[in-house]
Amino acid sequence: MTFELCFKECNVTEPLSLAIESSCDETAVAILRGERDVLANAIASQIKEHARFGGIVPEIASRMHLTALEPLLQQALDEAKVSLTDLNFISVTRAPGLIGALLVGVNFAKALAYRLKIPLVGVNHLAGHMLAARLEEKAPAFPYIGLIVSGGHTALYRIDDPLHFHLLGRTVDDAAGEAYDKVAKLLGLGYPGGIVIDQLAERGNPRAYDFPRGMIKNKKRNLDFSFSGLKTAVKEALGERNLEGQDLYDLCASFQEAVADVLVKKSLWACRAERINRLVLAGGVAANSRLRNLALERGTKDKRKVYLPSKIFCTDNAAMIAVAGYHRYQAGLIDDMTLNANASEHLF
C-alpha cells in the first residue's frame, strides 16, 4: 500500500510533516500540515557568533547546528502541539550549502525517520526558496519566473510546477548578497552587511554615484548576472577615505540602487522572454526594501504580478523546505537511508 493511498483510506486529507534546514548559518525546524498550514517555524540564528570573524566559519556553523537541532525540534513540537508519533514524513535540506552543516541536518533527519519508521524526503535548498511564496495566502499560480537572491546564489528560473525548474540565468561571479557583504566590509560596517547598507541607504541619494550595471547593455538581453565589477567600482570610489555621514549614506544608496536595478530589469526581461506575467522574489536579499519596492513599481508598469514572500520566508527557514518536500512526497519521490549531502548541486 502506498503512503498516499493510506492517507485516502484513513480519511486524512493532508499529511503532517517535519522539515529541517541546516545548509548554512541558520538552524531551522518547521512543522506543516499539508503544503501551507505552518504549525511551527522555529529558527536559531548564528549571526552573532560568525560576526566576530567577519563571515561564516564552516566548522563553527556545523557545531552550532549540532547543539541547536534537538532543542529546536522540541520547541517546534511544543509550538505545533503535536508529538513525534503524529508525523507522517520528514523533509530535510540535502543540497547545496556548507557540506558539514548539511551533513548535520541530513543525519539528524535520517536517524529520526529511521526511529519513527516514516518516509524521508531530501530537498534542494534552492527549490525551497523558489516555492516559499506558496506559503502565502495569495500564492502564485504556475508557471512563474523566480528570482533567487542570497549570499550564495543569484539566479533566474522558470518554475513550471513544484517539481520542474528551468534555469534561465545566474551570476558568473559574486552573488548579490556576497557583493553586499564585501562592500560592507570595505566600508567598515561589519557582517552581515545587507541589513546595515539597506538602513543607511534610506538616508542617501541613489544617484550620487554612477555605479556600473554589470552585463546590462547586451542587445540580446543576457539573463546572467555579474557583481564583481560593481564591487570594484565601489572600492575605487572609496579610495583611501573613511566615509561617514551623508557621504556614506549616498554611497550605500547608489550601490544598492545599482544592484536592485539590474536584478529587477533582468527579472522583467525573463518574464517577457518566457511570456509569463508572474514574478516571484526569493532568498535573503529579497527582504531588501529597495529591491522589493522597485520590483513592485516596475512590475506594475510592465503589467506583471510581483509576489514578495514575507521576510521570514525570504531568509533561510524550514517552512520552505517543508513545501518543497510536500510536493516530492506527494509525487512518491521518497529517499532511503543512503541519502547524502551535496555541497554544490544546482537546481535544473
Side-chain angles (χ1 to χ4, degrees), residues 30-313:
I31 296 175
L32 268 68
R33 174 73 69 183
E35 181 190 19
R36 300 183 195 172
D37 188 5
V38 181
L39 305 182
N41 188 33
I43 302 173
S45 175
Q46 303 177 5
I47 286 179
K48 288 184 179 180
E49 186 68 27
H50 295 290
R52 298 189 297 128
F53 303 96
I56 298 169
V57 181
E59 293 176 1
I60 292 177
S62 299
R63 289 200 296 269
M64 293 190 73
H65 286 310
L66 275 171
T67 303
L69 262 175
E70 191 170 347
L72 208 60
L73 169 62
Q74 189 57 56
Q75 178 184 330
L77 291 169
D78 292 343
E79 185 180 337
K81 295 182 173 57
V82 299
S83 65
L84 287 174
T85 54
D86 294 322
L87 299 174
N88 298 120
F89 71 97
I90 297 173
S91 299
V92 62
T93 303
R94 60 173 177 75
L98 301 174
I99 189 62
L102 287 166
L103 283 168
V104 172
V106 167
N107 287 327
F108 188 90
K110 285 165 68 173
L112 202 53
Y114 182 81
R115 172 191 162 192
L116 297 172
K117 294 181 173 56
I118 58 176
L120 175 70
V121 179
V123 171
N124 185 296
H125 178 81
L126 304 185
H129 274 306
M130 289 289 86
L131 295 173
R134 302 287 301 167
L135 290 163
E136 303 294 345
E137 185 177 344
K138 295 181 179 179
F142 296 103
Y144 57 81
I145 299 298
L147 170 69
I148 178 170
V149 272
S150 66
H153 308 279
T154 298
L156 279 165
Y157 287 90
R158 186 186 73 233
I159 296 90
D160 294 321
D161 60 53
L163 299 175
H164 295 94
F165 309 85
H166 179 70
L167 180 67
L168 302 175
R170 61 185 175 197
T171 182
V172 299
D173 42 56
D174 293 347
E178 183 181 1
Y180 264 94
D181 287 336
K182 288 180 176 178
V183 167
K185 188 173 183 179
L186 286 173
L187 297 174
L189 300 178
Y191 173 86
I195 295 176
V196 179
I197 289 178
D198 192 10
Q199 291 171 342
L200 295 176
E202 290 181 0
R203 303 166 67 178
N205 176 6
R207 292 176 293 278
Y209 293 83
D210 185 21
F211 287 136
R213 273 67 165 158
M215 302 180 72
I216 209 73
K217 295 181 180 179
N218 191 309
K219 292 182 180 179
K220 293 183 179 180
R221 294 195 168 183
N222 187 305
L223 295 178
D224 287 332
F225 300 90
S226 173
F227 295 103
S228 63
L230 173 59
K231 177 194 66 180
T232 301
V234 171
K235 184 176 182 180
E236 291 177 351
L238 182 62
E240 300 299 320
R241 298 178 297 162
N242 291 316
L243 295 186
E244 56 184 26
Q246 194 60 49
D247 288 336
L248 177 60
Y249 306 150
D250 288 347
L251 190 142
C252 287
S254 299
F255 163 75
Q256 178 159 278
E257 191 69 17
V259 175
D261 183 23
V262 170
L263 291 173
V264 173
K265 188 168 289 184
K266 293 211 171 193
S267 296
L268 294 176
W269 283 0
C271 288
R272 293 171 201 154
E274 299 297 319
R275 297 182 180 179
I276 293 174
N277 66 0
R278 290 175 292 276
L279 171 65
V280 170
L281 270 57
V285 181
N288 177 269
S289 63
R290 182 54 183 155
L291 176 58
R292 292 169 80 90
N293 290 335
L294 193 62
L296 288 171
E297 175 189 321
R298 291 188 182 172
T300 300
K301 282 185 179 179
D302 209 47
K303 297 182 180 179
R304 313 286 171 180
K305 178 65 175 177
V306 178
Y307 294 84
L308 303 172
S310 303
K311 292 184 179 181
I312 189 66
F313 296 137

